[in-house]
Amino acid sequence: MPVTLEDWAPYGIGTPDADGLYPDYRIPANLKPAAPAQSTSSGRQVWWSDIVTHWDCVIADLADKYRLDLYDPAVLARPWPGVRTLILSLVHESSRLRNALIKDGDPT
């Protein structure tokens, strides 16, 4: 699994900026997760399609919990793994996203 900027460079698309970050990355299939995004405490699998369905909750939760504006150009310029981790953490804590997922069929 790539960790450093140098490790990620072969997957970069476009020209890197002064910090060595590319505007986009193409992740090879062997590095993409085969499993669902997360599972809740009841064992229900939560897929990215579940999360995207409640994107308004994600935006509000990130703003409230982390003071993170997902559409801020500075945030958009950051590598995705850190933002992804924050989004997935919302599944496991008290959040609008978790409440919406519970209403969609997770009994816990």
Side-chain angles (χ1 to χ4, degrees), residues 12-59:
I13 303 297
T15 304
D17 63 16
D19 294 324
L21 297 173
Y22 287 82
D24 196 9
Y25 291 86
R26 297 289 184 255
I27 308 302
N30 66 323
L31 294 179
K32 291 182 181 179
Q38 292 286 310
S39 51
T40 60
S41 57
S42 70
R44 176 180 180 264
Q45 295 180 335
V46 178
W47 299 85
W48 277 105
S49 57
D50 298 318
I51 293 171
V52 171
T53 301
H54 301 290
W55 199 246
D56 57 331
C57 295
V58 171
I59 299 301

Side-chain angles (χ1 to χ4, degrees), residues 21-108:
L21 297 173
Y22 287 82
D24 196 9
Y25 291 86
R26 297 289 184 255
I27 308 302
N30 66 323
L31 294 179
K32 291 182 181 179
Q38 292 286 310
S39 51
T40 60
S41 57
S42 70
R44 176 180 180 264
Q45 295 180 335
V46 178
W47 299 85
W48 277 105
S49 57
D50 298 318
I51 293 171
V52 171
T53 301
H54 301 290
W55 199 246
D56 57 331
C57 295
V58 171
I59 299 301
D61 285 336
L62 291 175
D64 286 349
K65 293 182 174 293
Y66 304 110
R67 302 290 179 232
L68 182 78
D69 175 2
L70 198 55
Y71 297 109
D72 181 323
V75 174
L76 290 172
R78 291 166 56 181
W80 170 245
V83 175
R84 180 190 64 198
T85 300
L86 294 176
I87 293 170
L88 294 178
S89 74
L90 299 172
V91 173
H92 296 289
E93 57 189 52
S94 178
S95 66
R96 291 175 185 92
L97 176 61
R98 182 168 175 75
N99 291 340
L101 293 171
I102 289 169
K103 287 179 185 176
D104 285 351
D106 186 3
T108 60

